[in-house]
Amino acid sequence: MRFAAAQVDLVQAVQTVQRAVTTKSTLPVLAGILLTAQDEQLALVATDHEISIRCSAPARVEMPGSIVLPARYVSDILRKIPSGEVSCEVDEGTARALLLWQRSQFVIYGFAAREFPQLPAPDGARKLEISGRALRDLIRRTNFAVSRDDIRPVLTGALLEISPQRVAVFATDGYRIAYAHADGDFGGQDSMSVILPGRALGELQRLLPDGDERIEALIGGNQVYFRAGGVEFTTRVIDGTYPNCRAVIPRDYRATLQAGTEDFLAACDRASQIAREGVQMVMLKLEEGHIRISSETPEIGSAQEEVQAQTTGEPLEVAFSARYLMEALRTTDSDQFMLEISGPGSPARLRPVGKEDAYHIVLPIRLD
Amino acid sequence: MSIVILDEHTRDKIAAGEVVERPASVVKELVENALDADAKRIEVRLDGAGDAITVTDDGCGMSPEDLSLCIHRHATSKIRTADDLALISSYGFRGEALPSIAAVSELEIRTRPGGSDTGNRIVVSAGNVIATGEAPSAPGTTVHVRRLFFNTPVRARFLRSARAELARAVGMVEKLALARPDVAFRCESGGRLVLHTPGGGDYLETLLALAGLETAREVCLGSAAVVGARAVALVGSPATCRADRRRQGAWINSRPVSVRGLVEAAEAAYPWGVLPGRRHPLLYLLMSLPPEDVDVNVHPAKAEVRLADGTPAFALAAAAVRDAAAARVLAGAADIAGAGLRAGDIAGAADIAGPAAPPGMQRRVRYGEGPAGEPGAGTRSWPQPAGRAGHMLAVGEAPAAWDLWATDLSALRPLGQVGASWLACDGPGGLVVVDQHAAHERVIFEHLGAGTTSPGSQVLAIPAAVELSPGDFARWTAAEEVLAESGFVTEHFGGTGVLIREIPADLAGARWSPEPLLVDILAALEDEARAAAPLGPRLAARRAVASCAAAVKAHQPLAGPELSSLLSQLASCREPWRCPHGRPTVILITHDELARRFGRQ
């Protein structure tokens, strides 16, 4: 195998796939990147068994072939060499690569390509087309709420509900629920749902183009394949039944408040500084024309904030975890938000005003 | 009803009530008599409910004349006139002890003075002499008390359980033994040897014998002196802290006493700042003060003394504590063994303030040659301790605890995780290793267990169903209510299933799922219920909730910010050094230890 390519192209490609490289696997070859030179292209692949990323860089291929090179060294070296052309000669028998640029030459020991696990071919019964930006936003507005404890594996993922005109995402760690949807023409005939790992969605979010450019997904029984630009991304699917989040949404509310997102967020943030670490509890008190946010910790002190708000219903007083409120507020994507409260021990709904494309279910902290 | 002067027996019984309240006070009086007799070995035997007490000493013994006098009120060998009261340096002086005991028990004394071939005995019942005469006896004195309070049933009824009374009596021997490391004590209770001290004169050795290795290695010794007065402090590291003050005490002129504010003043000098949550370290103060500064004639049992105005006692006590704390800096690991301060060092030698004057000859001790009332007017200077002031007991390896306690946990630099179970940190004293499980247990325990303010319970969006083992389910059934009080709201969910609806707000978070938390609590419940048996199942459950919360299990990888966060949370704990089960959360491997291991020392 022998090829030459521009340093910038190589750096970019390596950095793209490197997110799927794992050093924790018992399989040492997974700490490497599979490089395949063919058809005036260098293809790069990395996988950690949960996700895999594949991309390519333009290259002048003199002799096709493949090798696995340790990601860490390749990445570090490529970043440090001057821009310009880098050529690479590989002795596939001994799995050694010789990198040459200007008057330098480096030898890097790798693995034979056959040791790298075969990636499953892209397959899937259901096709989905969505703009990169829309999918990114859906992930950004929900993925923070997935659980990081694998006791209940389904909760470490987010639920994607896909229908021809709507893609909706639910994420919950059991303590709160984040929901967002996007409307459009997404192709396909039927509706289906799939649970994708939160971590995979996080990586996908980084790879997706921030534009109207359409990306393509193939949804299969145990994997989902995405293609965005020149990057192919595959993630495994989490098996199981996702909890019915819709059942948690209260049917009616005893009080509502509408306020400026920024003002409320800032006030909440300040008040929570006084709250006990770990709980970050703030009290919300609905009053005529405003909302009072307070917190108190015996050893630290107390805080009281007042934010202008339109309130309706009963003058309720409810405690919440400031963290859950703030995380929800940051992703309403709206100047004004609405908080609908159904009581001091019942779910509350937080949503943007003027848009129906997202909501959060936050649960109060019950005090006796 | 006309007024009469009470007969002698009644008077004796009344007086006895003041001196002899319970078995422990009998032990105290008898041991003090033995110490006044210059004993080097004292044996105390307690039987029954503490109503049978035998104290044997190898002291100077009594002549037959003294023997018959000693059971009479105000018969004492220790003072002669009222003026002597100002200069009391012996333990006893009122001449009340033996008659008081004799009035409320059956008493037998056997004694043989040194140099005499024959012994004598006297038997007294309820104050009446039953028998006297020659009797075989080892040199010294044996006082045998039986049927204590047999003739004062009311007093007897006020006694606590036999166990409690025995424990008090043993505690009294302990106090006396600690004050006199130069005397070998042995104490048997119900036929079991419960206490013995070597009598070699070393405070730390004595403490080691009394409190055990675990405690003794955490204790530091310090002293301070001015002309005429001296204080030695045995000070425990924060590991010895307890909620009560049972391991604190003051001795003045070898007499266990309580002086208002003295121990508190010493504790205020404790270098690790105010111990939050009102925890008290082991702190024993052994002071020798000019007798004229100490008014012991306040309380018949001499338990409470009053100090003269302007006494240096308070300042000295604080200084001794500071010295003890500084000692760990002075004490090189190698040279501390056996360098303990000796008894003679502190008392300024027993011949000055010690109560060791032989009976039969009242010894007047004056400070310097100045007129009475000007204590310490100058000529005598205190001998300096043979060792350096302040040493730690070197047992096995040099205890690193002191260096550790001085460590500011929040200032540690986390280096990384070891075996996914421990955190290695760079600290000023060396390598600090944190047990993440224990540390986290402590953090959660304090969050929950502090219990002053309930953190509230986070309602779950998605209630968590968990299938319990039959054992866990049984425990859940028993504890459901208490769990709910702690913020863990659960309900039965068919079979052995339980649905978790709310969990303590402290524990809510994406990192911790409610299910293993509940299972952990229930598992812990079994241990805790056993451990906390006398405290009741309620507390057990609460503590179980707390310790359950060991949510970051060993073998859970933690990332950088999580390491730092755990450290800072631990640092903010009131008692960061132990997990709720008493295991250490943090250990320190000192630079010295590292150097030694690498053969560089």
Side-chain angles (χ1 to χ4, degrees), chain A residues 255-283:
Chain A
T256 69
L257 78 94
Q258 185 180 326
T261 309
E262 283 307 316
D263 288 352
F264 189 87
L265 190 56
C268 227
D269 195 5
R270 287 190 297 265
S272 73
Q273 300 306 310
I274 296 294
R276 183 154 61 173
E277 205 181 339
V279 187
Q280 289 195 2
M281 183 178 81
V282 290
M283 286 298 294

Side-chain angles (χ1 to χ4, degrees), chain B residues 287-462:
Chain B
M287 311 196 66
S288 75
L289 296 173
E292 56 268 43
D293 267 13
V294 186
D295 185 0
V296 285
N297 198 14
V298 177
H299 186 275
K302 308 173 197 102
E304 197 176 309
V305 301
R306 217 175 275 145
L307 297 182
D309 287 344
T311 176
F314 292 87
L316 268 182
V321 168
R322 267 183 239 115
D323 182 51
R328 64 183 225 291
V329 182
L330 297 176
D335 64 352
I336 55 175
L341 216 52
R342 320 294 291 191
D345 299 337
I346 126 163
D351 65 338
I352 294 171
M361 183 186 85
Q362 172 54 34
R363 196 139 157 199
R364 301 192 189 172
V365 178
R366 293 197 184 271
Y367 285 76
E369 308 302 324
E374 282 179 48
T379 55
R380 186 186 291 272
S381 65
W382 290 88
Q384 281 307 299
R388 289 136 299 274
H391 332 268
M392 298 189 66
L393 187 65
V395 187
E397 74 213 54
W402 285 88
D403 299 315
L404 180 57
W405 311 128
T407 305
D408 176 6
L409 281 173
S410 57
L412 293 179
R413 189 166 62 87
L415 302 172
Q417 211 180 8
V418 181
S421 301
W422 297 280
L423 315 182
C425 306
D426 183 16
L431 176 67
V432 177
V433 184
V434 180
D435 180 324
Q436 68 186 46
H437 178 84
H440 200 244
E441 238 173 19
R442 164 54 63 187
V443 169
I444 305 276
F445 182 81
E446 294 212 351
H447 269 311
L448 282 177
T452 45
T453 51
S454 158
S457 50
Q458 174 69 57
V459 185
L460 298 188
I462 313 285

